[in-house]
Every structure is written in C-alpha cells, then in structure tokens.
Amino acid sequence: MGVAAAVAPAVRRWLGQRRPLRCGAGLRGRWPLPAGGVSLRRCSTRVTLEGINKPVIDRIIRVDHAGEYGANRIYAGQMAVLGRSSAGPIIQQMWNQEKDHLKKFNELMVAYRVRPTVLLPFWNVAGFVLGAGTALLGKKGAMACTVAVEESISDHYNSQIRTLVEEDPEKYKELLQMIKQFRDDEREHHDIGLEHDAEAAPAYSVLKTAIQLGCKAAIFLSERI
C-alpha cells in the first residue's frame, strides 16, 4: 500500500502530462512537424543494459515491436483496397507515422538485444487480412478498425508507462518519453477514425469488440513467445 501511494503521483504525471512532440510528426492540420521537433531517425538508441530489469524491458520492446509491425500490415491492407479513394491520403499519413514507430522499435530491438516474437510471420498475414477485410466494408469499416486497434494499443502503452514508473522513472526516462509519445500518436489516430465516421460502420460495436479481443490475444502471445 505504501509503495502504491508513493508511485501514484508519478504514474498520473506520466499518463496525463502532454509534452511537445519529439519523435514524430503530428497529423492534424497539414500534419507538420512541430517547431523544434525532430524525426524518429534522430532519436538516440544509446542505452546501457547495466542495472535494468531485462525481462521487463524485453517483454515491453518485443510486444511493442510486434504491435507496430502488425499496425503497419493493417494499414498496408487498407491502402491496398482504399489507396485510391478519398480515404487514401489520411490512411497513408497514419501509416507513415506507424512506419516511424516501427523503425524506432527496430532500433531498440538491437540496442537492448531483444529477440522478436516468433509470431511475426503470422502477424504479417493476419494484419494485412484485417486491414484489407475491414477496408472492403468501405471507409467507415477501415476507420472502425483503426479506432478499435488504436484504442487497444494506447491502453496497452498506458499499462507499460505504469510499469516503468513503478520500476524507476529516471532509469527508464527515455523509454518512457518514447512510449508516451507513441501513445499520444495512437490516441490521435483513434480520434481521426471517430472523426471519419467509424461509428457508422456496419455492426460497429460487434466489429470493434471482435478486433479488440484479437488485439488482447496478440499482446498476450507476443509478450511471451
């Protein structure tokens, strides 16, 4: 109880505080990079493995890499169907941001010496099929998929933020900032999906629930295998 009370203010600070974008471009307006911002390519990957909780960090980086890989495949599937439609530009912009996320996690896999999940070949196919399948329902179906997936990912990132703050917020400061940034990006994707009529998709509630159950299973498996 004493430990929980001690870390609670720090957890709330990390979960709720919004810093300027640091590791990617926002999507609103004309999706500009904020003043003073830098791209993911310039984010540091210099880390020290001494004193870290390696099992926890391995699990976090492995599952996040898998999640961003799967998100890229979902957007690839959506673009294969809707790339030339009116929804194409916004889907492409969100996909470009996910590409940056994946590139960063590729770097962290090397920096922290983390093996990828053995399920990547499956997520490769499953992600594309999910993206293309929901896009066949039209723009609203694709946006419903975006809302479901991005809500699951942002909730998962929040859980990881709590874990790292409870471990040592100073030791994992850079990783915390990156995860929080990516969480905010996913929230923005979620909101964009809602703005583009996701809730008007056929059987929206059923579709969203089914996709999120799949996301939970993917997270559970990718953390462990």
Side-chain angles (χ1 to χ4, degrees):
M1 179 68 72
V3 173
V7 301
V11 171
R12 286 194 295 269
R13 185 172 65 252
W14 276 103
L15 290 177
Q17 183 179 357
R18 283 182 173 268
R19 293 184 175 83
L21 295 176
R22 296 182 50 150
C23 294
L27 291 179
R28 298 194 183 278
R30 293 292 295 176
W31 310 293
L33 195 69
V38 293
S39 73
L40 276 172
R41 292 189 297 273
R42 304 178 70 153
C43 292
S44 171
T45 55
R46 295 178 182 177
V47 298
T48 175
L49 302 182
E50 184 178 352
I52 71 169
N53 188 333
K54 193 68 164 59
V56 169
I57 299 303
D58 283 5
R59 187 172 69 247
I60 286 174
I61 293 176
R62 179 180 302 112
V63 70
D64 288 354
H65 173 265
E68 296 296 349
Y69 181 84
N72 270 268
R73 297 303 295 152
I74 289 170
Y75 283 119
Q78 291 182 350
M79 284 298 292
V81 176
L82 297 174
R84 296 188 179 184
S85 73
S86 62
I90 188 60
I91 293 173
Q92 183 65 60
Q93 290 292 337
M94 291 189 288
W95 186 15
N96 288 344
Q97 202 165 34
E98 299 294 354
K99 289 178 182 178
D100 285 342
H101 293 182
L102 180 58
K103 180 173 181 178
K104 182 59 180 178
F105 277 113
N106 281 333
E107 294 171 357
L108 291 181
M109 296 283 281
V110 175
Y112 283 94
R113 303 174 190 172
V114 179
R115 67 161 179 81
T117 174
V118 300
L119 296 172
L120 279 185
F122 179 76
W123 302 145
N124 176 37
V125 176
F128 188 90
V129 169
L130 176 59
T134 53
L136 287 172
L137 298 174
K139 173 187 172 182
K140 296 173 183 177
M143 292 300 165
C145 177
T146 294
V147 167
V149 171
E150 303 293 24
E151 184 176 290
S152 296
I153 293 176
S154 62
D155 288 347
H156 181 62
Y157 278 149
N158 276 337
S159 176
Q160 291 182 339
I161 290 169
R162 286 189 288 269
T163 296
L164 290 173
V165 169
E166 290 168 1
E167 284 281 331
D168 189 331
E170 284 304 312
K171 182 183 296 182
Y172 303 115
K173 182 177 181 179
E174 184 175 355
L175 186 57
L176 272 164
Q177 288 176 341
M178 188 201 73
I179 291 175
K180 182 178 180 295
Q181 174 63 65
F182 289 179
R183 186 277 313 271
D184 289 348
D185 292 343
E186 310 301 359
R187 280 179 171 176
E188 188 172 29
H189 297 175
H190 168 274
D191 293 346
I192 288 170
L194 290 177
E195 290 167 6
H196 286 79
D197 302 321
E199 292 174 309
Y204 171 75
S205 296
V206 174
L207 182 62
K208 181 183 177 183
T209 299
I211 292 172
Q212 291 189 327
L213 286 173
C215 288
K216 289 180 181 179
I219 288 169
F220 179 86
L221 293 171
S222 296
E223 283 181 330
R224 292 162 174 79
I225 301 178

